[in-house]
Amino acid sequence: MTDSRAKSGLIPEVDASMAKAEVSNAKSFQIKSYDKVLEYSKQLAVFLGEDFKTYQLDSLYSTTIPKNILSPENSDVSKHPLLLLQQSKVDQSLQSETLVKTQRLPNLSDFGVLQGRGWGFESNYMQDNSAFSDSYLKGGGIDRGNYLLGFTLSWNITNLYRFNSKVKEQQYLTQSLKQDYDLLHKELNAQSKLAQSQLTNAYENFEETKVQLSAAQLAYKQHTALFENGLTTLVDYKKPLSILVIVHGLLFFGIKATRDVKVDILPEMNLPVVYIAHSFNGYTPQQMEGYFTKMYVNMMLFANGIKSIESKNTQGLTLMKITFYEGTEMGEAIASIKVLSNRSQVFLPPGAPPPFIIRFDASSQSVGQLVFRSNTKTNNQLQDIANFNARPFLIKIPGLTTAPPFGGSPRTIEINIDPYKLRSHNLSPEQVVEAISRNNITSPSGNIYIGDKII
């Protein structure tokens, strides 16, 4: 009996040991898979805000395929929320252009004055001393009155020149937002086509898996019949069984991949582009290029990974576009740009404000806008309400970042110098500016002691 079993290839000790090894390997893989399930359950519990537990997953989405296939006609990205948000920014910038243009127009205001007098005595009081009233309401009426109405029209002609540069600045910002909109539209179109191709390939792979499953089942039946009749060994029998398991796995993961094709409302767009915007009123485009652009370009030579630098100079504004090579870590790139721009402040003209360093990224886009509108309050009053009332309240919300309010006129102090008096004291305008800057110092006021407390 032993000799016949050895000749037929069915050796109990060898076949049993191999079977135990395969079972142990399968159990080890099952334990590792369960560790993965525990890890995913932990992440899901954290996202749901629940205590840790093992979730029983629904197998519906891993055993069937979607009935409705995404067609190219339904892949229009023109109504994508991110595009609508970018378009709203373009519209807001256009409205800001109109608002700035209105600052050049004359101001019209009206006023009115009403004067009245009440009297509690009758006209025949001289003949009849009782012809008067003790009521305060009687004396509170208006028997005689005068009124005055007037209108004033004021127009500062210098506003035509002062706000011209601001209009151009807003127009360039609008052009920049439109370019970002076009770039985002192309990126979403490309991602939509990529998702369509991946979905089509997933369906084709699923159809091929059906053919492989049918062939594996037929091979399994054939080898099962041969094994039961003693015409093959356990090793030959396990080969089609392993293939059948692999094909089932391909079928399972094929269906899962079909359902898990990523369609993200905020796709990851690691665009290696950084913008630097620096404004300084009163400088011509040539002066902006000489004092600002060249200084920034010289400083950017110390940054790594820069592919190209583009600049555009207008009246009182420098706009630079810095493009990095693909694969550059943008967090480190922006940090280096900020450090170099801070070093450049030393060489810029006195009084120049810090630049705006902007990176176009989906994660940096705002998720909402809070608009203030009033028929009784001015733009400056609305800006104060947004700055000192609404913004501190929003900052208290965890995870929420608020931007500074936009739209109000900045508070400015204009100093008009009499040239005759300036000449009589033998002074120059630069000396006046230097004296004002030297005396306009913000310093701590110290501590206030109330009892044992320090405020």
Side-chain angles (χ1 to χ4, degrees), residues 109-173:
S109 59
D110 58 346
F111 65 91
V113 178
L114 177 63
Q115 180 183 10
R117 186 183 69 175
W119 189 254
F121 295 90
E122 301 293 339
S123 59
N124 59 343
Y125 177 75
M126 297 300 295
Q127 290 80 18
D128 186 4
N129 292 333
S130 63
F132 66 92
S133 176
D134 295 332
S135 175
Y136 284 101
L137 297 178
K138 182 65 176 179
I142 298 177
D143 294 337
R144 297 179 183 179
N146 296 318
Y147 65 91
L148 176 65
L149 298 177
F151 297 91
T152 59
L153 179 65
S154 62
W155 188 15
N156 190 349
I157 302 179
T158 58
N159 288 343
L160 296 174
Y161 173 76
R162 291 170 54 197
F163 286 94
N164 189 33
S165 60
K166 294 185 178 180
V167 172
K168 291 183 179 180
E169 175 185 354
Q170 192 65 37
Q171 289 175 349
Y172 283 119
L173 291 177

